[in-house]
DNA sequence: AAAAAAT
């Protein structure tokens, strides 16, 4: 895995971090099953340990405010968990190392588990290093604005050492070169380890996947081994991670495999467009965490090759996308109409950068007494992403694009093209632009839903490697994809929804690097003018006068704000809709950048809130 | 109106 922007920070702060990891600041640990009549609850970090090692200073969440029912599979059989203190123990668990002794009747998977870190560090890091490294904004790191709300929000942790994730997971954290938790991890992991449901706004580029994977993996390790019915071809995963695109599912799977390496926790990915047979075989070999796109999962459920009965953890990545009009019925079907344990008996975590109020309302159906968390990005987008808007007629777009690419090539190191991601509106438009670029001397490829899955994955590989440094994409590539070294995002066609714009430009300026986002704007985008200019203002970007005039004359009032009125969605990751006055959401939330207007929120890095974020004191929490 | 997601 590519190291995150936090690494550099962490390297500089390792000693301080270590010093602050005092036993008095132990992270909250998982809430135990609060069933009556069972054995007394033993906190997970005390299991399989010599007694009296630690004494948590923080009270365990309990009662109606914090506790939830245990996962459906939550019964703890004696000696059955994978929570080894030292090197991985052999446990009597089919599919895990214990099989070698014959106990599980299964081959040893430990020896077979491919090293997911094998391809790391032989990537393009060196090739690109000369072009960037403008430096990480260390001050901004301390200034991340954070909002939490909900009952009994646990305090954030400052180091991984404060969290008892177990040796195997800690070793993987080391292999990933994570030294210090990113802001979203600092807040989300304790919440998640408490067993609480969570709605989180945070950027993928700074460790969002790890934020939900670590607690899931650690929880599964503490839990019972999967019981497999002999002869049954149905898989019973303990955790389900859903994402809106195949490539994002692939990416999450790759990351999760690293986190789960040698923990005995098995991660399988299932998505459409690829032969189902391999996926079925993977499932048969055993699965603890299933990463999937909705369509293929429904297929697997209908074939009864997967059951959700044992799901203890449900994570929706890009959750607002998953619950928008196109996806909602499918998601409801999976979450509410199959055999998944109901809300409250599983732990549900929703992640996205943008969380429109209407979507929050829908999402609350899936959540039980959840905590809302919004974590701003590292520094303002001012520091990391320079946003430009240019007025370009449709007929001039190609030649204008050519100018940009030439300029970029001329200024780039070694005369090479820096990675440029070009967003267009339609699949046909993508094909046609790709062809035109190629014929004009700019090696390009394209990714969109009309291409075969093979072509899509090949395009992404070819782009990432720099073989075709220009990728023309539809919105399939707008969300979540972590493509290192994207120097420039060009909105050749602007999206209709400002949230999509936020996600698109979030493909650059990642991992603490700077990025450039250029948008081609003309009359056909007038409905976006107002929200775009507001977004740019909030991000302390220079707003061209003509755009301000557009914003003022068009799409003002008229009640037509519709999707473009961000309704608390984009900037600073939105706000907990439970705190909003129960109106339909007037535009008032737009300008109340400070902490006024809603009480009780806790700003984790309060001193920095607003500092460096422009006068409005807000910023966006990108994906 | 478009894109995505099962075959």
């Amino acid at each position: 895995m590519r190291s995150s922007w936090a690494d550099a920070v962490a390297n500089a702060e390792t000693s301080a971090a270590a010093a602050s990891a005092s036993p008095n600041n132990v992270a909250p640990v998982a809430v135990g099953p609060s069933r009556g009549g069972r054995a007394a609850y033993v906190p997970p970090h005390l299991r399989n340990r010599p007694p009296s090692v630690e004494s948590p200073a923080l009270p365990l969440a309990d009662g109606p405010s914090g506790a939830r029912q245990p996962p459906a599979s939550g019964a703890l059989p004696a000696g059955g968990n994978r929570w080894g203190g030292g090197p991985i123990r052999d446990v009597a668990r089919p599919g895990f190392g214990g099989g070698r002794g014959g106990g599980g009747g299964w081959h040893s998977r430990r020896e077979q588990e491919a090293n997911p870190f094998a391809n790391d560090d032989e990537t393009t890091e060196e090739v690109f290093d000369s072009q960037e490294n403008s430096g990480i904004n260390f001050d901004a790191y301390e200034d991340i604005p954070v909002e939490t709300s909900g009952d009994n929000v646990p305090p954030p942790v400052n180091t991984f050492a404060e969290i008892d994730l177990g040796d195997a997971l800690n070793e993987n954290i080391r292999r990933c070169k994570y030294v210090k938790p990113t802001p979203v991890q600092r807040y989300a992991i304790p919440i998640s380890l408490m067993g609480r449901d969570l709605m989180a706004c945070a950027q993928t580029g700074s460790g969002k996947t790890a934020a939900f994977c670590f607690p899931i993996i650690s929880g599964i390790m503490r839990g019972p081994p999967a019981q497999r019915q002999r002869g049954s071809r149905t898989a019973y995963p303990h955790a389900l991670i859903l994402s809106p695109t195949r490539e994002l599912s692939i990416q999450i799977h790759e990351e999760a495999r690293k986190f789960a390496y040698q923990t005995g926790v098995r991660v399988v990915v299932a998505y459409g467009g690829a032969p189902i047979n391999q996926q079925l075989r993977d499932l048969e070999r055993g699965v603890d965490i299933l990463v999937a796109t909705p369509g293929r999962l429904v297929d697997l459920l209908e074939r009864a090759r997967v059951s959700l009965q044992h799901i203890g953890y449900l994570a929706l990545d890009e959750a607002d996308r998953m619950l928008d009009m196109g996806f909602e019925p499918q998601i409801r079907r999976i979450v509410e109409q199959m055999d998944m344990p109901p809300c409250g008996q599983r732990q549900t975590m929703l992640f996205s950068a943008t969380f429109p109020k209407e979507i929050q309302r829908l999402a609350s159906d899936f959540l039980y007494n959840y905590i809302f968390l919004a974590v701003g990005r590292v520094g303002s987008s001012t520091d990391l992403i320079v946003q430009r808007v240019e007025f370009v007629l449709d007929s001039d777009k190609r030649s204008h694009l050519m100018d940009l690419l030439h300029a970029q090539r001329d200024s780039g190191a070694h005369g090479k093209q820096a990675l440029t991601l070009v967003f267009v509106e339609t699949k046909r438009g993508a094909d046609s632009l790709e062809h035109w670029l190629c014929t004009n001397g700019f090696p390009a490829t394209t990714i969109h839903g009309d291409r075969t899955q093979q072509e899509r994955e090949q395009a992404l590989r070819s782009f990432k490697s720099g073989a075709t440094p220009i990728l023309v994409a539809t919105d399939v590539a707008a969300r979540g994809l972590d493509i290192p070294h994207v120097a420039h995002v060009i909105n050749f066609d602007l999206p209709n929804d400002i949230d999509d714009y936020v996600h698109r430009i979030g493909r650059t300026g990642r991992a603490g690097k700077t990025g450039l986002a250029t948008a081609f704007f003309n009359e056909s985008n007038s409905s976006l003018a107002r929200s775009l200019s507001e977004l740019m203002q909030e991000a302390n970007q220079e707003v061209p006068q003509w755009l301000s005039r557009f914003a003022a004359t068009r799409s003002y009032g008229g009640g037509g704000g519709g999707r473009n009125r961000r309704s608390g969605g984009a900037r600073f990751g939105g706000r907990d809709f439970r705190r909003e006055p129960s109106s339909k959401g007037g535009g008032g939330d737009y300008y109340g950048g400070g902490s006024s207007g809603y009480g009780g929120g806790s700003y984790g890095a309060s001193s920095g809130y607003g500092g460096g974020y422009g006068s409005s004191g807000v910023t966006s929490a990108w994906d």
Side-chain angles (χ1 to χ4, degrees):
Chain A
M1 121 146 337
R2 176 168 80 78
S3 46
S4 82
W5 53 263
D7 300 340
V9 177
N11 290 334
E13 298 183 4
T14 308
S15 50
S20 73
S22 81
N24 284 334
N25 201 8
V26 171
V29 293
V31 151
S34 52
R35 299 156 293 201
R38 298 270 185 113
Y41 172 70
V42 179
H45 69 294
L46 296 179
R47 293 177 205 156
N48 302 312
R49 292 275 177 102
S52 81
V53 176
E54 296 167 285
S55 51
L58 299 163
L60 296 176
D62 196 9
S65 58
R68 66 184 174 89
Q69 294 301 306
S73 54
L76 297 173
N81 77 39
R82 280 166 282 189
W83 191 245
I88 299 168
R89 303 175 305 145
D90 278 0
V91 293
R93 183 172 190 286
F96 186 50
R100 187 166 28 178
W106 200 293
H107 53 78
S108 166
R109 272 182 46 89
R110 198 193 319 174
E111 286 168 315
Q112 294 195 348
E113 185 173 7
N115 182 354
F117 299 93
N119 289 326
D120 288 13
D121 299 325
E122 65 169 51
T123 49
T124 48
E125 290 291 337
E126 299 82 4
V127 182
F128 288 92
D129 266 351
S130 57
Q131 294 182 28
E132 35 198 2
N133 252 335
S134 53
I136 288 171
N137 187 337
F138 284 76
D139 296 332
Y141 183 78
E142 299 304 327
D143 282 351
I144 302 294
V146 176
E147 181 195 334
T148 55
S149 50
D151 297 336
N152 295 336
V153 180
V157 293
N158 290 307
T159 65
F160 285 122
E162 293 172 56
I163 323 165
D164 195 19
L165 291 168
D167 289 349
L169 207 38
N170 283 335
E171 181 64 11
N172 292 331
I173 290 170
R174 188 195 61 75
R175 289 184 178 114
C176 287
K177 305 191 178 74
Y178 292 169
V179 184
K180 187 177 175 178
T182 65
V184 64
Q185 291 163 3
R186 292 181 54 221
Y187 285 82
I189 293 176
I191 293 170
S192 180
L193 286 176
M194 274 182 94
R196 295 291 299 276
D197 282 4
L198 174 66
M199 180 187 290
C201 301
Q203 69 263 38
T204 40
S206 63
K208 181 169 64 102
T209 310
F212 60 78
C213 282
F214 289 174
I216 289 175
I217 292 167
S218 129
I220 290 173
M221 289 172 74
R222 290 189 200 105
Q227 58 271 47
R228 277 178 47 97
Q229 287 90 328
R230 279 182 83 86
S232 165
R233 304 220 298 174
T234 307
Y236 293 86
H238 289 117
L240 176 63
I241 301 172
L242 291 172
S243 98
T245 66
R246 298 163 181 174
E247 286 75 15
L248 187 52
S249 281
I250 292 168
Q251 177 181 303
I252 295 167
H253 173 243
E254 282 170 0
E255 270 193 273
R257 268 181 58 218
K258 293 176 184 174
F259 303 147
Y261 183 53
Q262 291 190 343
T263 61
V265 174
R266 298 154 305 180
V267 191
V268 171
V269 66
Y271 54 90
I276 202 168
N277 285 338
Q278 182 58 47
Q279 293 172 7
L280 291 173
R281 274 195 296 276
D282 291 344
L283 289 168
E284 268 184 67
R285 294 181 61 182
V287 54
D288 295 294
I289 301 176
L290 177 58
V291 184
T293 49
R296 178 54 60 92
L297 176 61
V298 168
D299 189 0
L300 293 166
L301 290 166
E302 283 172 350
R303 295 172 188 231
R305 298 299 293 262
V306 170
S307 160
L308 302 177
Q309 275 174 46
H310 294 173
I311 292 295
Y313 310 87
L314 169 66
L316 301 194
D317 204 359
E318 307 298 341
D320 62 332
R321 176 78 183 81
M322 303 298 281
L323 291 171
D324 81 7
M325 289 204 324
F327 266 125
E328 191 206 341
Q330 244 177 329
I331 301 302
R332 280 201 188 276
R333 185 157 173 225
I334 292 167
V335 177
E336 297 177 331
Q337 290 155 33
M338 298 293 188
D339 53 352
M340 185 170 334
C343 159
Q345 290 181 35
R346 58 164 199 263
Q347 189 176 356
T348 308
M349 294 175 279
L350 310 185
F351 283 77
S352 183
T354 51
F355 248 120
K357 247 182 298 186
E358 318 82 70
I359 304 285
Q360 289 191 35
R361 204 169 285 122
L362 288 178
S364 62
D365 289 354
F366 299 158
L367 296 162
Y368 171 74
N369 187 30
Y370 64 96
I371 290 172
F372 178 91
L373 167 68
V375 184
R377 73 176 284 116
V378 190
S380 65
S381 48
T382 316
D383 299 328
L384 294 176
I385 303 178
V386 175
Q387 298 176 55
R388 281 198 211 134
V389 187
E390 295 168 354
F391 193 91
V392 186
L393 293 173
D394 283 344
S395 53
D396 296 336
K397 281 183 173 179
R398 284 187 175 183
S399 65
H400 197 74
L401 174 63
M402 189 64 81
D403 292 345
L404 290 182
L405 293 175
H406 272 299
Q408 201 174 282
R409 183 185 273 175
D410 293 345
S411 67
H414 317 115
K416 275 189 300 205
Q417 193 72 53
L419 294 195
T420 302
L421 183 49
V422 183
F423 281 104
V424 297
E425 196 62 16
T426 66
K427 296 178 276 197
R428 269 194 56 191
D431 279 335
S432 127
L433 184 58
E434 177 221 26
H435 180 253
W436 184 82
L437 285 168
C438 288
T439 44
N440 284 277
F442 284 97
T445 183
T446 183
I447 184 166
H448 60 69
D450 273 355
R451 304 201 81 193
T452 67
Q453 192 54 31
Q454 264 194 333
E455 288 170 330
R456 287 166 57 157
E457 288 172 36
Q458 169 59 28
L460 210 47
R461 273 196 302 272
S462 165
F463 181 57
K464 282 182 174 175
S465 74
T468 48
I470 300 168
L471 179 65
V472 183
T474 60
D475 267 330
V476 69
R479 282 173 175 264
L481 292 188
D482 195 28
I483 309 171
H485 314 300
V486 173
H488 197 175
V489 168
I490 298 176
N491 275 290
F492 189 89
D493 302 318
L494 273 164
N496 295 313
D497 189 321
I498 191 68
D499 287 349
D500 292 335
Y501 173 85
V502 167
H503 285 277
R504 284 180 178 188
I505 69 172
R507 297 315 99 213
T508 187
R510 296 174 77 79
K513 308 275 172 45
T514 54
L516 175 63
T518 306
F520 296 175
F521 184 101
N522 61 41
E523 282 92 344
S524 63
N525 310 113
S526 52
S527 68
L528 197 70
R530 188 182 167 195
S531 50
L532 180 59
S533 90
E534 283 171 351
L535 177 88
M536 291 176 68
Q537 261 174 290
E538 286 162 3
N540 226 11
Q541 300 288 308
E542 200 174 316
V543 181
Q545 290 232 323
W546 59 262
L547 183 60
S548 305
R549 286 198 297 273
F550 244 104
T553 56
R554 319 262 177 155
S555 76
Y556 213 96
R563 311 190 55 187
N564 286 329
R565 197 184 43 71
R566 272 178 296 146
S567 55
R571 60 110 182 75
F572 185 35
R575 193 167 281 174
D576 191 344
F577 91 105
R578 294 175 297 184
R579 290 173 164 279
E580 299 288 335
S582 58
S583 72
K584 278 173 268 173
D589 57 8
Y590 239 85
Y591 303 99
S595 56
S596 63
Y598 52 101
S602 78
Y603 291 91
S606 54
S607 68
Y609 189 69
Y613 292 86
S615 55
S616 62
V618 292
T619 185
S620 290
W622 314 97
D623 35 300

